[in-house]
Amino acid sequence: HEQGGSTVLTKKELERCVQEPKFAIENLPQLLSALISDDETDQNYASEALENCGAPPSIALATFLEQLRSGDSTQVYWACTMLGRWFMLNAKPPSSMNLGDMQRQLCQVLHRELEISAKERAVWALGQIQQLETSTREALELQLENAPPRIQRLIETALQSSPA
């Protein structure tokens, strides 16, 4: 059924997403919407499905980048998780995307009014990138001073894991 212009997954389809990672990947926008459903069961199914589907295909990156700009804390958390998983396996994004832009969008999460877990996950995702741009390193270094302790540790790890 429809809700706000996009198709909403039924409980049965959400259950199928949990069981079948390929089906979950095919329905990523709907899963991300289900994360903020009024129904806690739908939220739980969506989280479990995202947990189970591993690293996303490159074609899904734009969906996650859009969540960084407009999603709520839970959606941003999962978008960062999926981007980080993707970066673990891939050094370079598809030619249609710019790695520097992706890094800037992840850095922007730190400036949004979001739960700390979403911000932590954004820094974690940056730490999965093999080569951080100078501007990204500088943005992280600026955050280092006033960030909560866990974010400080994640920033230090990200800076160490990507040689200058």
Side-chain angles (χ1 to χ4, degrees):
H1 56 286
E2 296 277 323
Q3 180 183 331
S6 72
T7 309
V8 175
L9 296 172
T10 64
K11 290 234 185 307
K12 202 164 216 43
E13 289 169 324
L14 284 166
E15 284 182 54
R16 184 175 168 203
C17 286
V18 170
Q19 304 301 322
E20 299 176 34
K22 188 173 185 293
F23 185 71
I25 293 286
E26 291 167 4
N27 290 283
L28 283 172
Q30 295 88 338
L31 274 179
L32 290 162
S33 291
L35 288 170
I36 58 169
S37 164
D38 292 335
D39 185 326
E40 195 175 331
T41 304
D42 290 358
Q43 294 171 19
N44 292 336
Y45 278 137
S47 291
E48 192 175 345
L50 289 165
E51 191 65 56
N52 293 347
C53 67
S58 297
I59 196 159
L61 296 179
T63 300
F64 298 122
L65 292 170
E66 177 56 38
Q67 292 299 313
L68 298 184
R69 290 187 293 276
S70 62
D72 87 333
S73 291
T74 305
Q75 292 168 315
V76 170
Y77 173 91
W78 277 107
C80 292
T81 298
M82 300 306 275
L83 288 165
R85 288 178 184 175
W86 187 87
F87 283 123
M88 282 182 192
L89 302 175
N90 301 277
K92 287 181 11 195
S95 58
S96 63
M97 295 186 168
N98 178 299
L99 183 58
D101 289 341
M102 295 171 84
Q103 291 180 41
R104 275 185 288 287
Q105 290 180 51
L106 283 163
C107 284
Q108 286 303 313
V109 168
L110 298 174
H111 301 287
R112 290 193 51 210
E113 290 291 322
L114 296 166
E115 291 174 19
I116 193 158
S117 59
K119 295 178 180 197
E120 290 171 352
R121 195 43 64 125
V123 177
W124 171 83
L126 285 164
Q128 306 311 307
I129 298 173
Q130 293 171 8
Q131 192 66 48
L132 292 177
E133 293 202 343
T134 303
S135 60
T136 302
R137 297 180 71 78
E138 290 167 355
L140 288 175
E141 287 164 0
L142 279 173
Q143 290 288 320
L144 199 50
E145 210 173 297
N146 299 314
R150 179 161 162 71
I151 289 184
Q152 285 179 341
R153 287 193 304 279
L154 288 164
I155 288 173
E156 289 165 357
T157 301
L159 293 171
Q160 290 166 3
S161 66
S162 171

